Amino acid sequence: MRFSELHKHTCGQWSPDGRYLAAASMGRVLVRDAETLKLVQVFVCCEKVGRIEWSPDSQYILAETSKQGVVQVWCISDGDWSCRIDEGLAGVTRARWDPSSRHVLIMTEFHMYLAVWKLQQDATAAHIRHPKYDDRGVAFNHGDGRFLAVLRRSNCQDHVSVHNSEDNFSSEVFAFQTDGDCADMMWAHDDSSLLLWDRPARASRFLWYSLRGELLVQVKECKLLRSAYPSPSAQFLVAACFDGSLCLLSGTTRSIVSTFTHDLKSAWAETGGADDVAVLREEPSNAETDATSGARYLRLRNLSAVRVPEEHTARETPVDADGVPQVGVAVAKWSPDERYVATLHFGMPTSVWIWDLGRGCLAALLLHRSAVKSLAWGPCTAPSTLASRLAISTSDASLFMWSPVGTSIGNCPLAMTRLRWRSDGLHLLMQDKDCICVCAPGPLDRVEAATPAVVKAFSELRDGAGEVDNAEP
């Protein structure tokens, strides 16, 4: 693993095309070349930057200055072009792009309205009243991204309204009232329906509605729901529950496919043998044999004797920013190929559970010496990668990598970092509260993480790829 020097920046973001890295430094937005990290552009903001976001086409970048209720937009290819959106007393809680990169959606304080601004001179904003949330409850359809669905709440009732970008989102294409107190929503993978689910600690339901507002299917077999995580293609969804269970739902059949439990003995019994589950524990490495890392993964063979470290909470259960108790499954991350889901459990903060959805069982359990802070799956497009790989950061200054065929651990200059992969999977952005650095992970070189079945499958895949590459036209 190779690491760049530290930069005193915050809010680091790769451009979607992988060519640039943008970050904030007080009242400036600095854009760097993704390969050399040399400065390409510097944009000056009116106030300290709170958040930045690239447009989907990588041509524009916006910056939020929530104290002044202002959003500023700049063009990468034209340094003289800029845009300033001032919501005045309504303020700004979140700004985002539409899929066309030509509209900016701004959520105002107290959920007064969602303003949609078009990037053109003397444009007039379209206002969608009473959005329910600041950071969710807004979804564009998957196909052409022309239709915007907004989850709204007024008179103690949830509503969904759908708007068309062709008329600048100014009118409703259709709207309907929902049954319940919804946490979020998404379009079905084929855009034929909308899927909504209930808020935590309420009823545990997933509701499929037609575009005319008809309730098509209701799934309520999940246990007490805490949060839901759609897959990248929206064909699947995992429901994370307070009791530690993880339910896999199919968007095609609109039903529960499988249920997993964060219990090693149960997961091991479901696989039918120790060789099918890789339990890896972080151990100090031998400095004489491995000078590049202070730790290594040691595979545990006797799974019946393994004890997963647990954290006993105080008398009063802590809650998150939404007031939801921090109990059960904390995070679920999909791999880009949708083969794996990595999860964290509030009661086991040092452990990462990796579920193989293709085999319907636990693939690996990673045990660390300190609490896990961030997970990030790398894209499957890197030339040296034939499988998804997971980057993990903990409270220690180490970076962990896992894939179905190997692992790697390296010392890094930052601890407790947030992780974000570049779109080509060749570089990884690491950032803490005040600094950022870039890591080039390189290939994985340890294969003790792989089970015999996985090693055989990926050996065949490599052999097949070589045969195709060497075949005569």
Side-chain angles (χ1 to χ4, degrees):
M1 296 183 186
R2 294 182 291 107
F3 297 90
S4 71
E5 64 181 24
L6 295 180
H7 297 275
K8 282 281 188 178
H9 301 335
T10 59
C11 307
Q13 294 278 348
W14 297 109
S15 62
D17 62 5
R19 295 178 58 193
Y20 302 106
L21 171 63
S25 177
M26 298 301 291
R28 299 181 300 163
V29 175
L30 300 95
V31 180
R32 297 178 180 272
D33 181 271
E35 291 292 339
T36 64
L37 297 184
K38 292 182 179 179
L39 279 175
V40 176
Q41 293 274 13
V42 178
F43 302 111
V44 179
C45 204
C46 61
E47 185 58 68
K48 182 179 179 180
V49 177
R51 179 178 170 272
I52 61 177
E53 182 176 319
W54 285 94
S55 62
D57 64 0
S58 302
Q59 292 299 308
Y60 299 91
I61 187 169
L62 65 79
E64 297 177 9
T65 54
S66 54
K67 288 185 177 181
Q68 292 194 3
V70 172
V71 174
Q72 291 182 258
V73 185
W74 298 278
C75 180
I76 299 301
S77 58
D78 184 0
D80 296 329
W81 186 95
S82 64
C83 171
R84 177 187 171 101
I85 302 173
D86 191 343
E87 289 296 335
L89 294 178
V92 174
T93 57
R94 176 61 63 92
R96 70 190 78 190
W97 291 96
D98 80 325
S100 71
S101 303
R102 296 301 177 266
H103 294 87
V104 177
L105 284 65
I106 296 180
M107 199 74 69
T108 59
E109 293 182 356
F110 308 110
H111 306 155
M112 293 175 59
Y113 58 82
L114 171 65
V116 184
W117 290 90
K118 190 173 184 178
L119 295 185
Q120 68 179 28
Q121 189 71 22
D122 300 325
T124 302
H127 288 173
I128 302 173
R129 307 290 296 180
H130 308 303
K132 187 173 183 179
Y133 299 109
D134 297 331
D135 56 349
R136 59 187 188 275
V138 175
F140 286 91
N141 69 304
H142 303 292
D144 52 15
R146 290 190 302 118
F147 295 99
L148 167 66
V150 181
L151 181 61
R152 304 162 64 185
R153 187 167 182 86
S154 61
N155 299 323
C156 300
Q157 291 288 336
D158 282 359
H159 305 263
V160 174
S161 61
V162 177
H163 306 259
N164 192 344
S165 63
E166 293 183 345
D167 62 1
N168 200 33
F169 305 98
S170 59
S171 61
E172 295 179 354
V173 178
F174 56 87
F176 58 88
Q177 181 176 314
T178 66
D179 176 24
D181 186 7
C182 298
D184 204 352
M185 67 177 179
M186 59 177 279
W187 289 83
H189 66 282
D190 57 359
D191 292 335
S192 63
S193 59
L194 286 165
L195 169 60
L196 297 92
W197 53 91
D198 287 313
R199 288 183 61 194
R202 310 283 180 176
S204 298
R205 300 178 305 168
F206 291 87
L207 309 171
W208 275 268
Y209 283 91
S210 72
L211 301 186
R212 291 177 293 185
E214 301 168 338
L215 180 59
L216 301 175
V217 177
Q218 180 177 203
V219 175
K220 51 184 178 181
E221 287 78 15
C222 290
K223 299 180 181 179
L224 197 55
L225 176 67
R226 189 181 193 281
S227 54
Y229 301 87
S231 69
S233 69
Q235 295 190 40
F236 296 96
L237 181 142
V238 290
C241 303
F242 282 102
D243 66 346
S245 61
L246 190 75
C247 297
L248 175 64
L249 286 83
S250 169
T252 305
T253 62
R254 297 170 182 170
S255 61
I256 296 177
V257 177
S258 184
T259 301
F260 308 100
T261 304
H262 287 75
D263 180 79
L264 180 57
K265 290 184 178 180
S266 300
W268 181 35
E270 290 175 357
T271 63
D275 288 341
D276 292 328
V277 178
V279 178
L280 307 177
R281 186 172 63 196
E282 178 191 357
E283 296 285 351
S285 64
N286 188 338
E288 296 180 358
T289 60
D290 189 358
T292 62
S293 173
R296 64 187 178 97
Y297 275 132
L298 175 67
R299 182 165 183 178
L300 306 181
R301 298 293 180 178
N302 185 12
L303 299 192
S304 60
V306 175
R307 296 292 181 268
V308 180
E310 297 186 7
E311 182 179 79
H312 299 285
T313 59
R315 293 183 179 180
E316 185 175 349
T317 303
V319 297
D320 60 18
D322 294 327
V324 180
Q326 293 182 346
V327 177
V329 182
V331 174
K333 297 280 189 178
W334 285 87
S335 64
D337 58 5
E338 302 188 0
R339 176 64 187 262
Y340 299 96
V341 171
T343 60
L344 299 177
H345 192 288
F346 281 115
M348 296 168 275
T350 63
S351 305
V352 178
W353 303 72
I354 303 174
W355 307 93
D356 186 341
L357 302 185
R359 295 189 299 139
C361 63
L362 182 67
L365 174 61
L366 312 180
L367 307 176
H368 302 92
R369 291 181 290 178
S370 59
V372 176
K373 296 300 179 182
S374 181
L375 303 174
W377 286 99
C380 300
T381 56
S384 61
T385 304
L386 285 174
S388 299
R389 55 178 171 178
L390 179 68
I392 304 166
S393 71
T394 67
S395 299
D396 297 329
S398 297
L399 179 62
F400 303 83
M401 293 283 177
W402 177 92
S403 85
V405 294
T407 64
S408 184
I409 303 177
N411 292 328
C412 61
L414 296 175
M416 303 177 61
T417 58
R418 300 183 304 278
L419 306 173
R420 187 181 296 271
W421 286 92
R422 202 170 71 182
S423 58
D424 59 6
L426 298 179
H427 289 84
L428 180 68
L429 176 65
M430 308 177 65
Q431 50 188 327
D432 62 8
K433 184 178 179 180
D434 302 311
C435 296
I436 67 172
C437 75
V438 175
C439 171
L444 300 180
D445 54 3
R446 301 179 182 177
V447 297
E448 69 267 17
T451 63
V454 171
V455 170
K456 180 181 178 181
F458 277 90
S459 297
E460 293 175 351
L461 179 60
R462 288 194 180 94
D463 294 341
E467 291 175 2
V468 172
D469 292 340
N470 297 327
E472 295 181 359

